[in-house]
Amino acid sequence: MSTNAETLCLRYQTHARVRTLFLASAIILLIVATTIGLCCGASGMSFWEIVSSLHRDMGRGHSIIWMLRLPRIVMAALVGFGLGLAGVVFQAILRNPLASPFTLGVGSGAGFGAVSVILFWGGGFQTYRVACGAFLFSLVSATVIIAVAKMKRASSETMILTGIALMFLFSSLTSLFQYMGTMEQVHEIVFWFFGSLSKAGWNEIGLAAAMILVPFPILLRRAWDFNLLASGDESALALGVNVNRLRMWAVAAASLVTAGCICFTGVIGFVGLVAPHITRMVIGNDHRFLLPASALVGAVILVTADTLGRTLWAPQVIPIGIVTSFIGVPFFFYLLMKRSREYW
Amino acid sequence: MSNTTNITKPMAGRFSPNLPCDTNLSTHGISARTFWIGWLAVALFLNFWTASAFGASVTIEDARGRKVRLSLPIKTVVALNSDILEILRTLKAEDCVAGVFSEVVREREFWGDLAQRPKVGSWREPNMEAIAALKPDLVIAYSRNPGQLLENKMALFGIQVLRLDFYKVDTLEREVRVMGQLLNREKEAVRFCDWYRRHLGVFREKIARTLRRPAVYIESYTDYHAAGPGSGGDEMCVLAGGSNIAAGLSIPYPRVTPEWVLSRNPEVIIKAAAYGNGYVLRDPAPFNKCRDAILKRPAWHHISAVASGNVHVMDSAIWTGPRAIIGIAHMVRWIHPDLFPDLNPEALHKEYLEAFQGIAYHGVFVSDNIQGGGR
């Protein structure tokens, strides 16, 4: 082997080690964040009480852990995972660092769907009805993006512009509906837009997990296609990737994941944009690693944010959207300053 | 109010007995008596002329604690929210209402003819142009909503703005008296204040004698938003003899965790709801559904209130506002069932609606009691 080839091989091996190490660290961090989250709460249970409550029915403590804390933490991890994943997919297929479920109008569509249900579909604001509305309209957004892109031959610019237009449309409609709502409805709408994990329960987690985790292996299998897409549509086409079809179903899959994330928790906008960037800065653009790593980083961010949100000002809860911005933005800036070369 | 309201007539003429001593009136053929009568006539004329030309004015302390000078008389008023409109009807001042907030149409049955009056937009963001077109003498709004822009824009049209809340139990009487004075409806204001004070006094007196203050969790319209210090719910809970578990928190409507509520183990849970309008409801089903959802919240079966079924849902109509006393009566019954065995909040509500609002009593305003829970 020539020296150049040896150097390249060595560099690849080092890079592979960094990526594997990053993945392993993300998993460990998620476990640590989950454990800390599980230990924090208003009822002041000791660590050993929590451990014994996990496997033995000890009445009140058992209920607190299994019915209140764990569902919340699991939902945070799931939603963070999904948003991190959807963010990478949207950025990959549109080759745009600003793409995310929310800048593409999918989040606004989901928000509009939830608000419509709150306003027009009976009292009580049942979680499942709101979730159905959010899911339906996130799919409406995705369908419109796909339809417009199909008519205009699926260019990434068209998709982004369509997404931005949809975002403004749904935001305006949501604002209009806020004017029409009663005091109670307006309260519900406003706090739905802050994002909240307080309604997380095992039933909700089951449905959200199906929507978030089922598309994950399918997307991971197409990681090489996403890698090829990064070098441009022509190159990917030349290497046998059906770019249009890839875009269509990737948008649909990422929309499904987004809907699964926000239909039970409201709008948590920051993670889907930043988790992929943080991951990309550290491990690069290989989607075989980027997809799971970004999802894990999203999960860590959201579990940490939730724990901070409910403990920093306890017993009051700081809306999770605010906390994600507070912890994510400084870290994001730090990475931006630290890494001088272009990472995208 | 009597301490802070100060009716002045700034341009009124002044009668002065200190005339120059060397003025020899008789030399001009005018007797001293005629001179004094003349001066008195001039002074009276000036007094009436200036009062009608420039208008009398009154200085009012508004809900923000600011001194506001208003020109009198006030004949037309724009009411920017339901609490103000309800008080205007209490004072039998419906004729003064030139414009109303647009949301009034949601409660046509409750407001009757008042719902037909010209609309001026949302209570939070009214249409300034619509208000200006009505040329009212006064616009009445909450202390915080809409913002200062209302005063700024109305000043351009010479329209006066007064901010009174009418939803706080402690200041309601004072504010009603102010309105009575402004609209020359003092008799009606006194009548209402007497009724209000009499009923509130009965609760206060009995509750002051009891030492037991059961822990109460009061939830606002949105799930897990407690009624903290400074909120209407907290004020009502204290008056009803409860100990609000969120009273020690730092903001009026904090979002709390279900685990925290569980750890505080309240004996009574009361939630505010606004399912359309309680006045037109014939069935408590929406309130009961909301109550049942609270009973089924994960792990809440460990809370005393849930275990005993002492969980109640209350309509926004009697939650703060001029009818807060009805809400307090319900709360008293739930928190201290033994203290007021004969208390009938519905009879109180009927009395209020018929005597002060001039409408028949009907509607549903609270959830049903669970057998064995509350009362």
Side-chain angles (χ1 to χ4, degrees), chain A residues 41-43 59-60 63-64 67-69 124 126 179-184 187-188 191 195-196 198 313 315-317, chain B residues 106 125 221-225 249-251 254-260 262-263 272-275 289 298-299 301-302:
Chain A
S43 56
R60 198 162 161 271
S63 297
I64 287 174
M67 296 167 100
L68 297 178
R69 284 195 204 172
Q126 286 158 3
Y179 273 98
M180 295 160 67
T182 62
M183 201 191 305
E184 188 182 37
H187 271 257
E188 185 73 13
F191 284 97
S196 169
S198 61
W313 198 16
Q316 291 154 62
V317 183
Chain B
R106 287 193 197 129
E125 276 193 57
Y221 299 102
T222 314
D223 288 353
Y224 302 115
H225 277 82
L249 305 185
S250 52
I251 53 174
R255 181 186 279 194
V256 296
T257 56
E259 190 180 329
W260 177 76
L262 183 58
S263 70
Y275 300 119
K289 212 170 160 184
H301 55 277
H302 294 289

Side-chain angles (χ1 to χ4, degrees), chain B residues 318-330:
Chain B
I318 55 171
W319 178 268
T320 72
R323 278 184 280 166
I325 192 159
I326 318 293
I328 293 169
H330 280 288

Side-chain angles (χ1 to χ4, degrees), chain A residues 320-339:
Chain A
I320 194 155
I322 295 171
V323 186
T324 50
S325 305
F326 271 125
I327 62 166
V329 171
F331 185 56
F332 188 53
F333 275 143
Y334 167 76
L335 284 178
L336 274 176
M337 297 295 135
K338 204 70 177 139
R339 294 183 68 90

Side-chain angles (χ1 to χ4, degrees), chain B residues 66-87:
Chain B
R66 302 176 307 186
K67 296 272 190 291
V68 181
R69 196 184 183 89
L70 300 172
S71 299
L72 296 174
I74 288 165
K75 290 192 173 146
T76 53
V77 170
V78 163
L80 281 189
N81 60 66
S82 60
D83 291 336
I84 288 156
L85 198 56
E86 198 167 318
I87 291 300

